[in-house]
Amino acid sequence: MKKQPFITKEQAQKIAAEYPTPFHIYDEKGIRANCEAVKKAFAWNRNFKEYFAVKATPNPFLMRIMQDYGFGFDCSSAAELALCEAIGARGDDIMFSSNETPAQEYAYADRLGGIINLDDITHIDFLEKTIGKIPETISCRFNPGGVYEIANGIMDNPGDSKYGMTKAQLFQAYGMLKDRGAKNFGLHAFLVSNTTSNDYYPALARTLFTLVVELYKETGCRISFVNLSGGVGVPYRPEDVPNDIAVIGEGVRIAYEEILVPAGLSDIAIYTEMGRFMMAPYGGLLTTAIHEKHIYKEYIGVDACAANLMRPAMYGSYHHITVLGKEDAPCDHIYDVVGSLCENNDKFAIDRALPEIEKGDLLFIHDTGAHGFSMGYNYNGRLRSAEILLKEDGEAKLIRRAETMKDYFATFDCFPQVAMLSDGTADRRLAGE
Ligand SMILES: *Cc1c(COP(=O)(O)O)cnc(C)c1O
């Protein structure tokens, strides 16, 4: 399917005149339509809830859009919990699915009344010691080990991942939690990332529902929610077939009817913690071509770099690029599109067929709405970009300003001579001037 940016060249030029590139831009209309589709796909389950994975796009303005649909938030750190606190999310609107968790973060999650999802059996003692009790509602993360196969082949290898508990530990953990006062139990598993098959959630649901029935029959412990976590993918490449959330929801419903209902467990809530599927396609990184270079290959240098979008450098991920205004021009040039980092993996595209790019052209890098801005960093002294929301009425709203040199120097406040003057230049006193 041809990938279309959600903004035109004219719109982008107008926004870039006010907020210089690079910046991430998000499409409110697309986000809302997708939230509706997710709600509808699982409407058959009375207590369904999506807990948006905050790490994908930790911006309170975007999180507030999710709140309009009754969604909660999946957090794994104090800062993510604080974002929830800031927008008024409390109690069972918060899922705390962390691992290697510091004590004070468990305490914070508990203070907000969030649901704690334990990554390991040893965390039962750790949590009890930290907060002085076991919460009434608690969840455990399962790792089935081995290789996880679904209909379209082997997709990942849970046996090599650090997350979750073995089945034996899981059964033991529920017993321990019950003995120490827990009343409502959840089961969570996250096995595969960016799946491109409608079968992943239904297959995972079958695994987890079967486990729920076994647990009930063997121990009498009743699970009250099954959390399918994240992992539903998006079509990064034009040739990728998009997941259909309606088909996915229906697949989970069939598994529910076949496994849970006959076992007398028909009141179990389904939770999800999607990040990528909720946001990736509804964000783009807008960047300007500022240089071209002809050596052994043809390079286009842009004003964004891997500090703004790490996925290509980190995973070799494909992100589609559209040269705005040249949507229908022939892709008869082969370029490496590169950022400025002193790292040779700072390449948004390698040997990519694109229309001829001229300096000043605006490039729209697709699908940066999840795990884009949020993975940003300051290597090479690069500053994090702005985030802009393209509202439904077409207005561009700044939802996070770009970092300035002052932000970069802020953590030297232990060393005032290096502090920045208000005009953004360095205090030269250190240099004896
Ligand atoms: C990252 C993460 C998610 C979201 O994953 P996506 O692939 O973005 O859907 C959900 N739950 C947990 C515990 C995670 O770590």
Side-chain angles (χ1 to χ4, degrees):
M1 205 164 59
K2 187 168 170 171
K3 290 186 75 79
Q4 301 277 13
F6 52 79
I7 47 170
T8 62
K9 180 183 171 184
E10 289 65 36
Q11 274 177 305
Q13 278 174 329
K14 208 169 139 219
I15 299 167
E18 189 171 1
Y19 307 109
T21 59
F23 55 78
H24 288 268
I25 183 158
Y26 303 95
D27 172 26
E28 179 175 11
K29 194 190 270 179
I31 296 168
R32 288 190 181 277
N34 188 58
C35 287
E36 292 281 4
V38 167
K39 253 188 107 140
K40 200 166 154 214
F42 290 92
W44 56 267
N45 184 256
R46 194 158 43 92
N47 292 315
F48 168 76
K49 192 161 180 151
E50 152 71 4
Y51 288 87
F52 173 64
V54 175
K55 74 165 189 272
T57 328
N59 187 300
F61 292 90
L62 302 175
M63 292 165 69
R64 286 177 75 166
I65 294 177
M66 310 270 166
Q67 280 180 316
D68 287 347
Y69 300 87
F71 297 164
F73 303 99
D74 165 44
C75 303
S76 61
S77 67
E80 292 176 0
L81 288 167
L83 281 171
C84 289
E85 186 168 19
I87 60 165
R90 297 283 188 287
D92 64 6
D93 281 334
I94 298 172
M95 183 69 61
F96 189 59
S97 287
S98 60
N99 67 96
E100 317 318 326
T101 315
Q104 66 272 22
E105 296 190 358
Y106 271 140
Y108 189 12
D110 179 59
R111 266 203 315 282
L112 295 179
I115 301 173
I116 290 173
N117 182 35
L118 296 171
D119 184 69
D120 191 57
I121 191 165
T122 59
H123 285 225
I124 297 174
D125 286 341
F126 185 80
L127 177 67
E128 193 174 33
K129 219 176 273 164
T130 302
I131 64 170
K133 60 168 189 210
I134 291 295
E136 272 197 11
T137 300
I138 191 123
S139 174
C140 293
R141 183 167 184 166
F142 174 51
N143 180 339
V147 172
Y148 199 68
E149 277 180 68
I150 69 164
N152 68 346
I154 298 165
M155 299 192 65
D156 209 358
N157 193 357
D160 288 334
S161 91
K162 68 174 178 173
Y163 308 108
M165 311 184 199
T166 68
K167 185 174 159 184
Q169 288 173 336
L170 192 73
F171 277 40
Q172 195 190 342
Y174 287 122
M176 288 167 69
L177 291 165
K178 198 173 182 178
D179 289 345
R180 300 183 196 188
K183 293 195 169 64
N184 310 305
F185 303 93
L187 172 62
H188 169 282
F190 185 11
L191 307 185
V192 191
S193 193
N194 192 30
T195 57
T196 53
S197 157
N198 291 329
D199 297 332
Y200 169 62
Y201 262 6
L204 174 62
R206 270 173 202 280
T207 304
L208 298 182
F209 294 165
T210 305
L211 200 64
V212 165
V213 173
E214 202 180 323
L215 181 76
Y216 180 53
K217 288 195 172 143
E218 277 184 27
T219 69
C221 175
R222 270 182 98 109
I223 294 290
S224 43
F225 60 88
V226 168
N227 185 344
L228 300 173
S229 190
V232 179
V234 299
Y236 285 103
R237 292 172 185 269
E239 64 270 25
D240 288 346
V241 180
N243 282 320
D244 184 337
I245 198 68
V247 173
I248 292 172
E250 178 61 10
V252 175
R253 188 189 69 78
I254 292 167
Y256 195 99
E257 294 290 332
E258 285 179 13
I259 302 168
L260 293 179
V261 174
L265 300 167
S266 52
D267 55 354
I268 292 178
I270 302 296
Y271 295 165
T272 55
E273 291 173 345
M274 292 182 279
R276 194 184 314 272
F277 187 80
M278 302 308 294
M279 282 298 303
Y282 316 111
L285 174 58
L286 202 75
T287 182
T288 305
I290 54 173
H291 291 289
E292 55 184 282
K293 176 166 182 173
H294 318 281
I295 49 170
Y296 308 103
K297 300 183 81 174
E298 294 294 299
Y299 293 94
I300 295 295
V302 295
D303 59 3
C305 66
N308 306 112
L309 175 67
M310 195 202 258
R311 298 186 71 256
M314 189 165 177
Y315 311 116
S317 309
Y318 180 94
H319 278 265
H320 198 69
I321 296 176
T322 297
V323 184
L324 294 180
K326 298 181 179 175
E327 286 82 353
D328 299 315
C331 292
D332 52 4
H333 285 65
I334 303 290
Y335 293 116
D336 282 12
V337 178
V338 301
S340 59
L341 296 189
C342 304
E343 278 290 345
N344 199 42
N345 65 0
D346 186 11
K347 296 174 182 172
F348 292 115
I350 298 172
D351 296 330
R352 182 79 56 90
L354 288 164
E356 181 171 19
I357 296 174
E358 290 148 280
K359 278 183 271 181
D361 277 351
L362 287 169
L363 274 56
F364 182 90
I365 304 181
H366 291 249
D367 302 317
T368 71
H371 313 295
F373 177 92
S374 62
M375 289 174 92
Y377 55 112
N378 281 130
Y379 190 57
N380 256 172
R382 290 292 157 203
L383 304 177
R384 288 180 185 80
S385 75
E387 292 182 289
I388 291 165
L389 179 64
L390 182 63
K391 298 197 351 184
E392 285 183 296
D393 62 8
E395 184 205 336
K397 182 181 164 68
L398 187 68
I399 57 171
R400 187 196 299 261
R401 67 161 171 81
E403 280 180 346
T404 66
M405 290 277 273
K406 265 182 128 170
D407 298 310
Y408 186 84
F409 278 78
T411 43
F412 293 122
D413 51 5
C414 52
F415 194 6
Q417 295 93 325
V418 187
M420 297 293 288
L421 296 174
S422 55
D423 65 358
T425 59
D427 185 334
R428 305 296 291 269
R429 275 172 300 176
L430 194 66
E433 291 175 26

